Amino acid sequence: MPFRVFLHLAALSAGLFAGFCFCYAVVVTPALGRLDDEAYVTTMRRLNEAVPGVLFFLVIVGSVVWPLAAFMVRTPWRGADTRVWLIGAAALLSLTAFVVSLAVEVPMNTQLADAVTATADQFHQARAAIEHSWNNWHVVRTVCAVLSTVLLVGACLTPDRAGSVRPAAPSTAPVRSK
């Protein structure tokens, strides 16, 4: 029972995080790219203030915790099936997306928030210092999050084989005599 709950929570949280990353990559990032330097820096600062809320935190942490919980509950070292390895790979991808968020993108967001931007040149320098790198790392994060979701959905759709050794049900078919 806990395995199925963990697996479905993993797929849900990973899907929510992947959806956020995907929408940001295909809608927000291109729109930001068309802004002038001052508008870009101001908008990124506002987005970075809005995103790290409790709900977002629960989703991003859940996208790591739930796949790991499902993986550990299934104890892969005792006759793992395909599902367990799909979940394990998804957990690693989710962890990678999480690390990119915390170790790479958050420091760049902080750098942008702390940048002195009183002149047009300072806005340009603040933008140039992070934009290209942030966008590239966001692609990494998005790909990892989407692939994690695909693997978890695959695990949800894969028949359960681990721990399913059950005695065969008695046959109800009539026995033919020769």
Side-chain angles (χ1 to χ4, degrees), residues 42-53:
T42 302
T43 303
M44 277 292 282
R45 285 175 171 167
R46 297 303 165 266
L47 287 167
N48 292 333
E49 291 166 3
V51 169

Side-chain angles (χ1 to χ4, degrees), residues 13-14 17-18 20-21 51-68 89-109 134 137-149:
S13 59
F17 183 57
F20 168 81
C21 290
V51 169
V54 173
L55 192 55
F56 181 76
F57 177 78
L58 292 174
V59 167
I60 193 172
V61 170
S63 74
V64 175
V65 169
W66 296 124
L68 288 173
L92 288 174
L93 287 163
S94 290
L95 183 60
T96 302
F98 184 77
V99 168
V100 167
S101 295
L102 290 184
V104 180
E105 291 186 328
V106 167
M108 282 191 264
N109 293 343
W134 197 99
W137 280 107
H138 185 71
V139 169
V140 171
R141 177 169 76 160
T142 302
V143 169
C144 288
V146 169
L147 289 176
S148 175
T149 301

Side-chain angles (χ1 to χ4, degrees), residues 74-75 78-84 159-166:
R74 191 43 71 116
T75 58
R78 292 189 312 180
D81 63 357
T82 303
R83 253 177 142 174
V84 173
D160 192 5
R161 289 193 179 85
S164 64
V165 178
R166 297 184 183 98

Side-chain angles (χ1 to χ4, degrees), residues 41 45 112 115-117 121-131:
V41 170
R45 285 175 171 167
L112 186 64
V116 175
T117 52
D121 188 51
Q122 289 172 330
F123 276 108
H124 177 73
Q125 288 173 2
R127 179 182 188 163
I130 69 142
E131 183 178 25

